[in-house]
Amino acid sequence: MSSIKECATFTRLAPDEMNLGTQPSARHRALLSSYLLSLWRGPKIVRRMIVADIGIWLDLGLPAQASDLLLVLRQFLSDYPESRFE
């Protein structure tokens, strides 16, 4: 599984903006499912989509939503280790 530090580096989330120790909820699983619809493009593309969306939420000044997507990203990286960061 990707480390928190590795995810934080790519997502630009500060440690106080991350939901550490939180388990993915049904909402997080639904978000992940929506990303998995694009899995035909390849797992690395889906990873880039999630990271890009985290950046969008941060640019909008909404770190809570970005933090939710971090949980989605961690679950995705756990389920699809071939999509890990290079």
Side-chain angles (χ1 to χ4, degrees):
M1 181 178 252
S2 293
S3 71
I4 293 294
K5 184 177 179 180
E6 188 177 32
C7 287
T9 300
F10 284 95
T11 60
R12 302 180 311 179
L13 280 169
D16 63 323
E17 296 173 328
M18 293 188 241
N19 293 325
L20 301 176
T22 304
Q23 294 296 318
S25 67
R27 182 171 166 266
H28 296 114
R29 288 187 292 278
L31 283 169
L32 178 58
S33 293
S34 69
Y35 285 105
L36 293 179
L37 294 173
S38 296
L39 197 54
W40 62 272
R41 296 176 175 208
K44 290 187 180 188
I45 298 296
V46 174
R47 183 204 69 218
R48 287 186 204 132
M49 291 169 58
I50 298 170
V51 171
D53 287 350
I54 291 170
I56 290 169
W57 286 117
L58 290 173
D59 290 344
L60 292 171
L62 298 167
Q65 286 79 358
S67 185
D68 281 341
L69 278 185
L70 180 63
L71 290 173
V72 172
L73 176 62
R74 292 197 72 215
Q75 185 63 52
F76 179 75
L77 293 173
S78 175
D79 294 345
Y80 297 90
E82 67 273 18
S83 67
R84 294 193 69 178
F85 300 102
E86 286 110 25

